[in-house]
Amino acid sequence: RQLRSAFAVAAILAAGPAVAQEGPEVSFNVGVATDYVFRGVSQTDEDPQVFGGVDATSGQFYVGAWASNVDYGDGTDLEYDLYAGYTPTIGAVSLDFGVYFFGYVDAPTGADYDYVELQATASLPLGPATLGAGVYHAPDSYGGVDHSTYVEVNGAYSPRDNISFSTALGRQTFDGPGDYTTWNIGVGYRLTETL
């Protein structure tokens, strides 16, 4: 999953096996951010974000849920995401095939915000760097758009364990007007082993 926030501070509350040695591993996360930016567009009207989620993994499979406040100026208060996927590897390449449901609480009647998106991503480690790419397709997209596709290439570099640099370039297209290109550059610094 992408971290879709600007200047986020997050903490993993718990991680480890949920059931002795045989069950899935379950982890939780909570965080705050100065803004919630998704594919170059603020989801909180450039106001702060509070988010949290839970993930369960078993082998190469995962499921999870995540939620955040949003502000579209129409009464919509909350986004919640439900997702599942499969993460095989081919040689050094890590793959992720997933399906996401994006739901919205208190959206106006007829807004048609809820949608399902399919994703396929790949990443390749190159020493302290990682190169990646992904395709995300919604057959029945947000706000009544018939379908949309987002394509991204990205990279990250970690000269030390506690610091990382990242960048991404993406292109969002719709069945209709509104296509755009987005990019970002980021710096991450880990304060402790869990924060």
Side-chain angles (χ1 to χ4, degrees):
R1 249 173 73 67
Q2 297 178 356
L3 177 61
R4 301 172 291 188
S5 308
F7 193 67
V9 178
I12 294 178
L13 297 179
V19 180
Q21 298 173 345
E22 298 298 325
E25 294 184 0
V26 178
S27 63
F28 303 86
N29 64 84
V30 295
V32 296
T34 58
D35 193 4
Y36 170 17
V37 179
F38 180 56
R39 297 176 187 167
V41 179
S42 176
Q43 306 297 296
T44 52
D45 196 25
E46 300 184 351
D47 286 332
Q49 174 199 26
V50 179
F51 62 88
V54 58
D55 295 276
T57 60
S58 180
Q60 296 176 318
F61 296 91
Y62 65 86
V63 296
W66 182 87
S68 170
N69 62 297
V70 295
D71 182 0
Y72 301 143
D74 60 6
T76 307
D77 295 321
L78 182 76
E79 171 192 334
Y80 64 95
D81 304 347
L82 306 175
Y83 49 90
Y86 174 60
T87 56
T89 57
I90 299 177
V93 178
S94 297
L95 302 173
D96 185 344
F97 301 102
V99 58
Y100 278 71
F101 172 78
F102 295 86
Y104 297 87
V105 175
D106 291 332
T109 302
D112 196 19
Y113 286 168
D114 299 354
Y115 68 102
V116 173
E117 187 173 79
L118 309 175
Q119 74 162 35
T121 66
S123 63
L124 174 66
L126 298 170
T130 302
L131 298 178
V135 178
Y136 308 80
H137 180 71
D140 182 10
S141 194
Y142 176 95
V145 176
D146 282 345
H147 58 84
S148 64
T149 302
Y150 179 71
V151 179
E152 180 182 281
V153 292
N154 54 67
Y157 174 65
S158 299
R160 299 200 312 260
D161 288 343
N162 64 339
I163 190 168
S164 62
F165 303 91
S166 63
T167 186
L169 175 66
R171 178 69 176 170
Q172 178 73 66
T173 60
F174 300 97
D175 180 29
D179 298 356
Y180 66 92
T181 299
T182 182
W183 61 273
N184 67 69
I185 297 174
V187 178
Y189 183 79
R190 193 177 69 227
L191 299 176
T192 70
E193 288 298 318
T194 57
L195 179 63

